[in-house]
């Protein structure tokens, strides 16, 4: 269905585009969500530039209500039935009905919340059983007394992400909000928390939720069983907060999930030097491609590449979700390791599109060929040779 929709750009209205863009979270093996982000471009202009001296040009600060809370933020996108607002803590809220009508414009400029403000409000939100640990880039909410293990895991993953991207010429720009990671005591508590956030997820070890901008995971199992997922979700968070993607732009899922898959292996964040490409490979994805596509040699491989570039349907269809993640990994990993200029072009091209601008199949295919400099068949061939070398 989504597939058809994406094929008919003319019928695609902005609301639909937004729904794809805002589907609320990234998680492995759920049929939900396109990535989205670069409000940051808009936001950079709106927020970071010297708004103080030209208040009239800046969008007004507004007061709005979520549940029983009065919050401050700036409007990002005004759809006929929904208003998207960026709150001071970096959360995106969707106001509908009464909430949309009941906003108050204030005569003041938008300022992101400070780390200390956010720490205080997170402590209040999660209560006495939890502590909020501050690191250079994160606010980690965890059950009291869990030490530095989680904060260090998030810091290490993030630093490795930035180093890897920078080395490949990807333009990194620090986000305006500290990243929030929430570690619940066990999986049952995590699912309750996801329910509270209106996120419908099953059989996950953690998620990154694009609207709240938080990673949610749990401390109830052996870390090594959930570490792959945590690194995957942490990579989404790093990408969305450091201008690799934009939270308010519709980004093709093969791009966002390719990045997530790339950062699953421990070797990607372990800091070992002198690693070969082979040692950075996602073995799960590689095996999947060996089984399903003869290592990339079968004709269906190019078809899968074309499907992923043109639409998100392969992710949404439960029959092909696993294949979608694996092929997306192969495409992004090939670009990152063998054609870094093209890798950077795909990322900057996708993140700098207009706010919630619809993205149809034809535009996706055209952009891809322009950024990568080759057609799909030739590209699929190059990826399959690369996979053979692993
Ligand atoms: Zn993901």
């Amino acid at each position: 269905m989504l597939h058809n929709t994406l094929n008919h750009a003319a019928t695609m209205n902005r609301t639909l585009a937004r729904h794809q863009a805002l589907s609320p979270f990234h998680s492995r093996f759920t049929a939900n969500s396109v990535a989205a982000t670069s409000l940051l471009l808009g936001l950079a202009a709106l927020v970071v530039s010297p708004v103080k001296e030209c208040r009239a040009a800046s969008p007004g600060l507004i007061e709005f209500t979520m549940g029983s809370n009065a919050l401050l933020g700036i409007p990002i996108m005004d759809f006929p039935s929904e208003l998207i607002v960026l709150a001071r803590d970096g959360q995106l809220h969707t106001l509908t009905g009464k909430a949309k009508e009941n906003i108050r414009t204030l005569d003041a400029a938008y300022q992101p919340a400070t780390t200390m403000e956010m720490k205080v409000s997170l402590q209040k939100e999660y209560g006495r059983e939890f502590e909020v640990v501050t690191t250079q880039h994160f606010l980690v909410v965890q059950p009291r007394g869990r030490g530095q293990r989680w904060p260090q895991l998030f810091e290490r993953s993030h630093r490795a992400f930035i180093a890897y991207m920078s080395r490949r010429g990807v333009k990194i720009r620090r986000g305006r909000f500290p990243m929030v990671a929430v570690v619940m005591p066990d999986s049952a508590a995590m699912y309750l928390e996801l329910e509270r956030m209106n996120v419908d997820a099953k059989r996950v070890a953690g998620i990154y939720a694009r609207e709240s901008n938080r990673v949610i995971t749990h401390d109830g199992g052996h870390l090594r069983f959930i570490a792959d997922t945590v690194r995957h979700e942490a990579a989404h968070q790093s990408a969305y907060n450091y201008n690799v993607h934009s939270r308010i732009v519709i980004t093709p899922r093969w791009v966002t999930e390719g990045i997530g898959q790339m950062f699953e292996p421990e070797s990607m964040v372990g800091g070992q030097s002198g690693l070969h490409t082979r040692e950075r490979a996602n073995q799960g994805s590689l095996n999947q491609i060996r089984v399903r596509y003869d290592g990339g040699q079968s004709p269906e491989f190019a078809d899968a590449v074309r499907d992923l570039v043109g639409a998100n349907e392969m992710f949404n269809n439960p029959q092909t979700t696993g294949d979608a993640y694996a092929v997306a990994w192969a495409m992004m990993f090939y670009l990152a390791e063998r054609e870094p200029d093209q890798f950077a072009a795909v990322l900057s091209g996708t993140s700098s599109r207009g706010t919630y601008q619809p993205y149809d199949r034809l535009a996706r295919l055209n952009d891809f060929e322009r950024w990568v400099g080759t057609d799909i068949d030739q590209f699929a061939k190059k990826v399959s040779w690369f996979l053979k070398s692993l």
Side-chain angles (χ1 to χ4, degrees), residues 77-95:
M77 202 71 187
D78 194 359
F79 295 101
S81 61
E82 292 168 331
L83 181 69
I84 313 298
V85 179
L86 179 72
R88 290 188 59 237
D89 64 357
Q91 298 206 47
L92 287 165
H93 296 284
T94 302
L95 308 185

Side-chain angles (χ1 to χ4, degrees), residues 26-27 232-233 236 257 325:
H26 272 269
S27 97
H232 175 120
E233 305 306 328
H236 284 320
E257 295 305 344
Y325 278 94

Side-chain angles (χ1 to χ4, degrees), residues 25-29 208 232-233 236 253 256-261 264 325:
F25 67 102
H26 272 269
S27 97
R28 303 177 64 201
F29 309 118
Y208 165 69
H232 175 120
E233 305 306 328
H236 284 320
R253 274 194 88 184
T256 58
E257 295 305 344
I259 296 275
Q261 293 296 96
E264 289 192 2
Y325 278 94

Side-chain angles (χ1 to χ4, degrees), residues 106-125:
L106 305 176
D107 185 22
Y110 177 90
Q111 291 286 351
T114 64
T115 302
M116 188 46 75
E117 276 181 278
M118 284 182 67
K119 184 173 178 170
V120 168
S121 108
L122 284 166
Q123 187 67 66
K124 200 171 142 206
E125 180 179 349

